[in-house]
Amino acid sequence: MAKDKTGSDRTTSDGAPISLIIKDPEKFAQNIAKMIEGMTKAANAFLKPREDGRLSADLTDEIAEIVRTLAKVIEYWTAEPGRSIQAQSKLYGQYFMLWTSTMQRMSGVQMPPVAVPDPRDRRFKDPQWTQNQFFDFVKQFYLITTRWAEEMVERADDLDPHIRLKAGFYVRQIANAVSPSNFLFTNPEILRDTLDSSADNLVRGMDMLAEDIAAGNGELIIRQSDNSHFAIGKNLALSPGKVILQNDVCQLIQYKPNTKDVLKRPLLIVPPWINKFYILDLNPEKSFVRWAVEQGHTVFVISWINPDERQSEKSFENYMREGILASLDTVQKITGETEINAIGYCVGGTLLSYTLAYMAGVGDTRIASATLFATQVDFTHAGDLKVFIDEEQIEAVEKKMSVRGYLEGKNMTASFNMLRSNDLIWSYVVNNYFRGKEPIPFDLLYWNSDATRMPAANHSFYLRNCYLDNKLAEGELTVDGKPLSLGDVTIPIYNLATRDDHIAPPRSVFYGSSFFGGPVTFVLAGSGHIAGVINPPSRGKYQYWTGRAPHGDALEDWLGHAKEQPGSWWPHWQAWIEAQDNTRVKARTPGGRKVKAIEDAPGSYVKVMA
């Protein structure tokens, strides 16, 4: 390692050495005092609402759940002495290899690393994680330890699968939290910033931390974007249209056409109520709504209400009747059409599938084709979100919802962020609060932070009947005493999964195809739950796979015979839609002559903040 004239080790942002000497001791001392003052403000913002009784300070239940779960893994490995010795020997053997490698490297011998980060892991990209022996040792020690802990969970074969799933999730969360990249003295980037700026970064960071806790009314809401640059209806959700229906659960928007003729079948889009619909109309370049209008669709989109206590008793069935079925009535009234194409996204697709089964049972044939974006109808392979689903945890959520009649949006946001905690939590902790960097304006992350609440009856039904008991796929749900069966749904279905989806895993979506009674076209898109769906052709990003009809849950077998195609799947979907019926008629104005417009798109419901 190179030395400066004083003999100090040095490291710069490009991997070259920098001085470890504090450049301005007086300023550094002043900034440390300011940082402590900022920490005090943050602590006060955290403690005051708990002292006032506005927030509970009791985390006992959550901590006890983690301890109980991990204790079962420890019990498995200590139950037999042979297992315990085997586990310890493997860990200590790797530690010894690392120590030996480090000693040899210090004596000038070039040694290959014992543990190497995943190439996609951005935490250790700074050259000093490899070039500096201290940081390299800390990094490898961390990787060896956390990978060993994860392996101990994976190899606990006799544990209940749900316990093992939870234990693996908790171990990953703990491992991500204790990463050396998250601490001042073990992260070369933070240390460099601190020394170069005489701790200006820490002052800014503590100020932001205090602001974010205060903005969350005592709970830390990590800022992911500079939200001051965005406003719904001004630079987000800009497609022109009118609200033509409004009730206690939703508004319905009809978008203005920009072609002289349009497809005869109108298009109704059912977005999730867990997030706001404008992910489909983020900006003109990324807007699926705008693109669909340009292809000649008469587009209708449901905009769900951001509920409060008045919607506490609104159930899944209410969302079907007052959301989808009421919207179908309005679409039919405006267009005069009895055949309608429908799209459902995420839980909106689950509700759409529930509705299709109901409509099939009562002989309602108005939906002629359905498209599902990243939608689960069977929850056997639902992935890491099942960590939060068991009787005890659902009871805890229901107890929480019973106080106000809804679940706060920040609870759902936190759960989703934990699925990718390195990217969506810890990277912002490091950049915001240690490096003192304001996040850049980013429309997608603004949308992600624009949380929605969950009505108690609806959310409880969804958690219990879908995630916990899987009743939709198993045909155990009823409406008006009549059983619902996805097998009765015989219309053509376009079922889109995304390859890196943590919310609706592709294997789960693929397996769900098997439950419908009609033809299913399965398509796998590159990227994840959002980017894989919102991928306009003009950007030329990612890819998608098409292949034979899906059967069972053998996604990898299907993928082995599928055809990979570059770019967006949107044109493929458009060709599929037109293959059902490409008849065109004169373009329709929002509301037509039969329905009076209520207000301009995007409407008022979407602007209500949680």
Side-chain angles (χ1 to χ4, degrees):
M1 181 179 296
K3 306 275 184 180
D4 67 5
K5 292 181 180 179
T6 65
S8 300
D9 295 334
R10 305 175 311 179
T11 309
T12 61
S13 58
D14 61 358
I18 62 168
S19 174
L20 293 181
I21 292 179
I22 298 172
K23 298 177 180 178
D24 189 339
E26 183 177 351
K27 181 181 179 183
F28 184 83
Q30 292 173 347
N31 279 339
I32 293 299
K34 290 178 182 178
M35 181 196 73
I36 294 172
E37 183 181 345
M39 291 175 64
T40 303
K41 290 179 182 178
N44 289 338
F46 178 82
L47 292 172
K48 192 171 191 308
R50 288 164 175 81
E51 293 170 348
D52 296 344
R54 287 177 284 144
L55 281 179
S56 171
D58 187 11
L59 297 174
T60 305
D61 290 344
E62 289 85 347
I63 295 172
E65 173 67 19
I66 295 171
V67 171
R68 280 195 303 268
T69 302
L70 297 181
K72 294 183 185 300
V73 178
I74 296 171
E75 183 181 341
Y76 171 85
W77 284 101
T78 57
E80 295 182 11
R83 284 183 194 159
S84 180
I85 293 171
Q86 179 189 24
Q88 292 179 50
S89 296
K90 182 165 186 178
L91 178 62
Y92 296 152
Q94 289 181 301
Y95 283 163
F96 181 74
M97 290 171 61
L98 175 59
W99 181 257
T100 302
S101 172
T102 302
M103 292 298 100
Q104 290 180 306
R105 186 176 170 188
M106 289 178 68
S107 65
V109 179
Q110 293 295 320
M111 295 294 295
V114 177
V116 179
D118 187 300
R120 296 169 296 180
D121 191 341
R122 293 179 288 183
R123 294 175 295 175
F124 305 110
K125 293 298 185 184
D126 189 280
Q128 287 304 301
W129 285 111
T130 301
Q131 296 173 10
N132 184 294
Q133 293 182 30
F134 168 74
F135 294 121
D136 185 49
F137 178 85
V138 169
K139 175 192 69 179
Q140 292 193 64
F141 185 89
Y142 165 77
L143 293 173
I144 288 169
T145 306
T146 55
R147 287 171 181 173
W148 173 83
E150 290 173 5
E151 186 180 347
M152 291 302 99
V153 175
E154 292 169 4
R155 292 175 55 198
D157 299 324
D158 295 342
L159 280 184
D160 175 82
H162 184 63
I163 295 293
R164 196 163 59 191
L165 178 69
K166 289 201 297 183
F169 181 80
Y170 295 147
V171 166
R172 286 194 298 276
Q173 297 308 313
I174 294 169
N176 292 344
V178 301
S179 170
S181 59
N182 297 337
F183 300 95
L184 169 59
F185 294 108
T186 54
N187 184 324
E189 292 179 279
I190 300 174
L191 191 56
R192 178 189 307 126
D193 288 349
T194 303
L195 294 171
D196 286 352
S197 70
S198 297
D200 278 341
N201 57 309
L202 299 180
V203 175
R204 293 192 304 270
M206 288 305 102
D207 286 344
M208 281 196 284
L209 178 64
E211 291 168 5
D212 289 352
I213 294 175
N217 296 313
E219 297 188 66
L220 176 59
I221 307 297
I222 300 173
R223 66 180 85 180
Q224 297 176 326
S225 169
D226 183 351
N227 292 345
S228 64
H229 287 70
F230 301 107
I232 298 170
K234 293 185 179 179
N235 56 4
L236 299 170
L238 298 179
S239 294
K242 299 288 185 180
V243 173
I244 40 85
L245 169 69
Q246 178 173 307
N247 58 35
D248 287 341
V249 303
C250 73
Q251 292 184 324
L252 180 66
I253 302 167
Q254 181 184 358
Y255 288 93
K256 182 180 178 181
N258 66 4
T259 55
K260 291 183 179 180
D261 56 28
V262 294
L263 289 166
K264 187 172 185 290
R265 289 183 182 178
L267 177 65
L268 173 64
I269 301 178
V270 185
W273 55 87
I274 290 173
N275 303 105
K276 294 185 178 180
F277 84 88
Y278 66 91
I279 189 60
L280 296 163
D281 189 32
L282 207 56
N283 63 44
E285 179 192 1
K286 301 175 186 174
S287 174
F288 179 82
V289 167
R290 181 187 182 96
W291 183 86
V293 167
E294 291 171 348
Q295 309 314 302
H297 292 276
T298 305
V299 178
F300 296 82
V301 174
I302 292 174
S303 173
W304 300 107
I305 196 167
N306 201 341
D308 55 29
E309 63 276 0
R310 293 170 295 179
Q311 281 77 32
S312 64
E313 298 301 319
K314 293 294 183 181
S315 66
F316 222 65
E317 184 176 336
N318 290 122
Y319 270 57
M320 175 185 76
R321 294 188 184 281
E322 299 174 52
I324 295 178
L325 295 181
S327 295
L328 285 172
D329 292 341
T330 303
V331 172
Q332 185 176 5
K333 184 177 182 180
I334 291 172
T335 65
E337 299 299 335
T338 57
E339 291 188 352
I340 297 166
N341 296 319
I343 292 175
Y345 192 170
C346 189
V347 68
T350 307
L351 179 67
L352 176 60
S353 301
Y354 173 94
T355 305
L356 291 174
Y358 169 78
M359 294 173 72
V362 298
D364 187 339
T365 60
R366 285 178 293 176
I367 294 182
S369 81
T371 298
L372 304 176
F373 295 166
T375 292
Q376 296 178 99
V377 296
D378 177 271
F379 292 78
T380 304
H381 306 298
D384 278 347
L385 277 177
K386 291 190 77 172
V387 166
F388 306 107
I389 308 298
D390 53 40
E391 184 61 38
E392 293 79 9
Q393 292 185 89
I394 291 178
E395 285 182 0
V397 171
E398 289 173 336
K399 182 180 179 181
K400 188 178 293 186
M401 291 191 295
S402 68
V403 177
R404 296 181 178 177
Y406 56 84
L407 183 69
E408 291 282 5
K410 61 188 176 186
N411 294 99
M412 292 298 297
T413 300
S415 297
F416 289 134
N417 285 346
M418 287 175 71
L419 298 181
R420 294 174 53 211
S421 59
N422 277 334
D423 291 333
L424 296 178
I425 298 176
W426 297 111
S427 66
Y428 291 99
V429 168
V430 170
N431 280 308
N432 294 2
Y433 309 133
F434 283 105
R435 303 191 71 187
K437 293 186 174 182
E438 288 271 4
I440 62 172
F442 189 8
D443 52 9
L444 179 58
L445 290 176
Y446 174 88
W447 168 85
N448 188 56
S449 68
D450 190 7
T452 54
R453 298 178 285 261
M454 302 293 110
N458 185 331
H459 198 53
S460 178
F461 181 95
Y462 179 56
L463 294 180
R464 287 190 172 278
N465 293 282
C466 293
Y467 270 98
L468 184 62
D469 296 327
N470 203 20
K471 288 185 176 182
L472 177 59
E474 295 177 8
E476 296 178 2
L477 296 179
T478 61
V479 174
D480 298 333
K482 297 178 182 178
L484 303 183
S485 173
L486 295 175
D488 293 338
V489 179
T490 58
I491 61 172
I493 289 177
Y494 188 101
N495 198 14
L496 179 81
T498 57
R499 191 167 191 179
D500 301 322
D501 200 329
H502 297 273
I503 296 170
R507 183 185 177 195
S508 181
V509 177
F510 181 86
Y511 185 44
S513 302
S514 303
F515 292 86
F516 294 102
V520 177
T521 299
F522 179 80
V523 176
L524 181 66
S527 197
H529 193 74
I530 301 301
V533 175
I534 309 304
N535 183 27
S538 61
R539 305 183 79 187
K541 295 183 69 175
Y542 310 126
Q543 70 282 89
Y544 64 97
W545 291 263
T546 58
R548 61 195 184 190
H551 296 290
D553 65 352
L555 173 62
E556 290 305 317
D557 181 61
W558 179 91
L559 190 56
H561 296 85
K563 180 181 179 182
E564 180 178 345
Q565 303 182 65
S568 173
W569 56 270
W570 292 9
H572 181 269
W573 171 80
Q574 179 67 19
W576 180 86
I577 282 285
E578 294 194 22
Q580 315 302 316
D581 187 346
N582 63 358
T583 306
R584 300 218 168 210
V585 297
K586 185 179 178 181
R588 305 151 173 139
T589 58
R593 297 180 179 179
K594 298 182 179 180
V595 174
K596 184 178 180 180
I598 297 170
E599 60 180 325
D600 289 336
S604 54
Y605 280 15
V606 74
K607 296 178 182 178
V608 176
M609 307 295 284

